[in-house]
Amino acid sequence: MIDVATALELVRANYPAPQAVLLAAEAAHGCVLAEDVPAREDSPRFDNSAMDGWCVRWDDVAVLVDDPGEDSAPESVALRQVGESRAGTPYEGRSAADTAVRISTGAPTPAGYDTVIPQEDCRAEGEVVYVLRVRKRGANIRLRGEEFTAGVELLRRGVTINAARIGVLTGQGHALTAAFRRLRAAIIITGSELRPHWQAGALPPGALRDSNGPMLRALVTEASGETVKQFLAGDTMEEHAAALDEALGAGVDLILFSGGVSVGPHDLVRSCAAAAGFETIFWRVDQKPGKPLLFARRGSTLLFGLPGNPVSAHVCFSVYVRPLLLHAAGKALPAARSFPVLQDLHNPGRRAVFMRVAQREINGLVGVEALRQQGSHMLSGVSEATGIVLLPAGARITEGELVEVIPV
Ligand code: AMP
Ligand code: MG
């Protein structure tokens, strides 16, 4: 049996290096950009209108500008509408004095016209447009390149591709993006007592719903991985081996077994993995929960045998698997933060304990306290937890002392 620090070190030594691949921009959602991305084109690409209205020549309407001390300004200026510029269909005609071009938001401003008068400031009668109010030359026109010009750096390597960045990439014609790929995982849930969670009707005596499968799948997604295969295997060598073979055939990077990794007569994951050529890196860690954790490798394929108890599976994933997936995705680990404990924490046992804690605020002091449900079968304790605190064997932490909290 090894201790937690050694186990973490062995997992770290086997982190897969982030691998840049070309992905469709849409498919790269949530991935980390692996290259700097320059602007291909000016933005906006052409001068265009910011309003629905009429595009005019400022010199034709400048007479409407209020001149304090003079009341010679007319009430309106009449212009002749000579055409229209619509989004996607520019006005191609020539400009002429005392004319206006109907224009829509986003439509190109026609050559020779320099100002847009919003619809609300005009009155149209047939082909005649009466301009009632004006602001200044160039009003309501978005200029080509005012946001950025071709060649400037738009997005930097290392940023996570969120929805807005997908918009920026695709708006610039970057259909493909170099991003760090998600690790491909297979989840093999073991246990003859387990039924799919969606199975209708009452469960037979002794049966349980598989909650680890859906939970681990969600954890993989949250950690920037991708589950490409998922199995529910009974406690026989044949079912274990068939699932493992299919997972290996799919070329996954990571295999997550759940259950069957302890020392009982029906715990077959270790022998199944060994028979398939996996070498054990470690089995059993001096920790609670999750003592029977298995970590093995075959070539570039990594395998974790997570204990079946839902809390153990979650905690082992959070502590050992999540950092590995995030690393491979090119992402920084969420930093562990320190908080004062709001009540004494004590680990009277001889194994290190990953205690589930929740953040609370008491009289303006933000701290953490242990959740009541600490049993490794009590998943509700994890669902309420904001973090995990590693308490070494025998540790006693008194109220107000700082502890490092691993976010879950
Ligand atoms: P094992 O590690 O296979 O001995 O499983 C330990 C216990 O965890 C089992 O007896 C079940 O009560 C529970 N368990 C195992 N696998 C799952 C699962 N996929 N979903 C929910 N509970 C499970
Ligand atoms: Mg089992």
Side-chain angles (χ1 to χ4, degrees):
M1 188 137 61
I2 60 172
D3 62 17
V4 170
T6 310
L8 281 171
E9 198 44 58
L10 286 169
V11 173
R12 229 172 274 137
N14 286 279
Y15 275 179
Q19 246 181 46
V21 289
L22 277 183
L23 296 176
E26 301 93 313
H29 190 202
C31 293
V32 169
L33 195 62
E35 62 179 356
D36 295 335
V37 175
R40 283 188 173 161
E41 297 167 343
D42 295 344
S43 178
R45 284 183 54 226
F46 45 83
D47 295 353
N48 68 86
S49 178
M51 304 287 279
D52 292 315
W54 278 268
C55 206
V56 303
R57 300 160 11 122
W58 176 252
D59 292 341
D60 293 340
V61 296
V63 62
L64 287 171
V65 175
D66 278 340
D67 193 349
E70 282 200 36
D71 18 60
S72 56
E75 289 221 325
S76 65
V77 167
L79 303 174
R80 189 165 52 86
Q81 181 177 312
V82 289
E84 184 176 14
S85 178
R86 298 170 57 164
T89 315
Y91 173 71
E92 307 281 9
R94 295 162 64 102
S95 67
D98 298 323
T99 62
V101 174
R102 187 88 172 96
I103 197 162
S104 318
T105 305
T109 47
Y113 297 85
D114 58 6
T115 303
V116 168
I117 314 293
Q119 198 159 301
E120 305 81 274
D121 295 341
C122 299
R123 185 163 47 81
E125 278 176 25
E127 292 302 286
V128 180
V129 184
Y130 294 92
V131 177
L132 310 174
R133 277 175 296 280
V134 297
R135 242 173 5 100
K136 58 174 186 181
R137 187 191 297 275
N140 303 310
I141 292 184
R142 305 160 171 163
L143 294 175
R144 171 178 181 161
E146 72 176 15
E147 185 188 6
F148 54 77
T149 51
V152 300
E153 186 180 285
L154 258 193
L155 296 176
R156 228 174 221 291
R157 174 188 162 96
V159 298
T160 297
I161 301 169
N162 60 16
R165 288 170 181 148
I166 289 177
V168 168
L169 288 165
T170 51
Q172 285 285 305
H174 293 286
L176 292 176
T177 299
F180 295 116
R181 73 177 183 91
R182 298 177 174 86
L183 283 200
R184 300 171 76 244
I187 296 171
I188 306 176
I189 304 296
T190 72
S192 295
E193 76 280 25
L194 301 172
R195 299 289 177 272
H197 67 280
W198 39 261
Q199 189 169 297
L203 294 177
L208 284 178
R209 282 181 203 92
D210 163 35
S211 55
N212 284 356
M215 178 178 76
L216 287 170
R217 197 181 180 102
L219 284 167
V220 167
T221 304
E222 282 177 7
S224 302
E226 178 186 7
T227 302
V228 295
K229 291 272 174 193
Q230 189 167 341
F231 306 90
L232 190 52
D235 292 318
T236 66
M237 209 43 160
E238 293 70 36
E239 286 185 61
H240 280 48
L244 183 54
D245 275 358
E246 197 179 326
L248 291 170
V252 298
D253 308 291
L254 178 67
I255 291 165
L256 297 177
F257 270 101
S258 150
V261 77
S262 195
V263 293
H266 308 292
D267 292 331
L268 305 171
V269 170
R270 277 191 314 131
S271 41
C272 173
F278 280 87
E279 256 178 60
T280 297
I281 299 167
F282 63 75
W283 175 54
R284 301 213 288 179
V285 182
D286 201 6
Q287 63 186 10
K288 193 179 157 190
K291 180 170 118 181
L293 178 66
L294 169 71
F295 183 43
R297 170 170 204 135
R298 187 183 93 165
S300 61
T301 312
L302 299 170
L303 181 153
F304 283 94
L306 305 170
N309 272 308
V311 173
S312 314
H314 193 297
V315 168
C316 286
F317 184 97
S318 301
V319 173
Y320 298 98
V321 187
R322 178 183 294 138
L324 181 146
L325 285 170
L326 289 175
H327 176 88
K331 293 186 177 175
L333 270 186
R337 288 178 58 195
S338 292
F339 289 93
V341 296
L342 299 171
Q343 285 164 359
D344 293 2
L345 299 181
H346 181 36
N347 174 10
R350 281 187 298 194
R351 274 192 276 154
V353 165
F354 289 110
M355 194 166 273
R356 278 76 73 198
V357 299
Q359 198 171 308
R360 306 233 191 276
E361 191 180 325
I362 296 182
N363 301 329
L365 175 70
V366 177
V368 290
E369 64 183 17
L371 287 156
R372 200 175 52 77
Q373 304 88 344
Q374 295 288 332
S376 63
H377 55 300
M378 299 178 177
L379 196 57
S380 62
V382 182
S383 80
E384 274 182 48
T386 55
I388 299 173
V389 171
L390 176 59
L391 280 187
R396 191 184 282 281
I397 299 182
T398 48
E399 188 186 322
E401 259 187 88
L402 288 178
V403 284
E404 224 177 58
V405 179
I406 306 165
V408 289

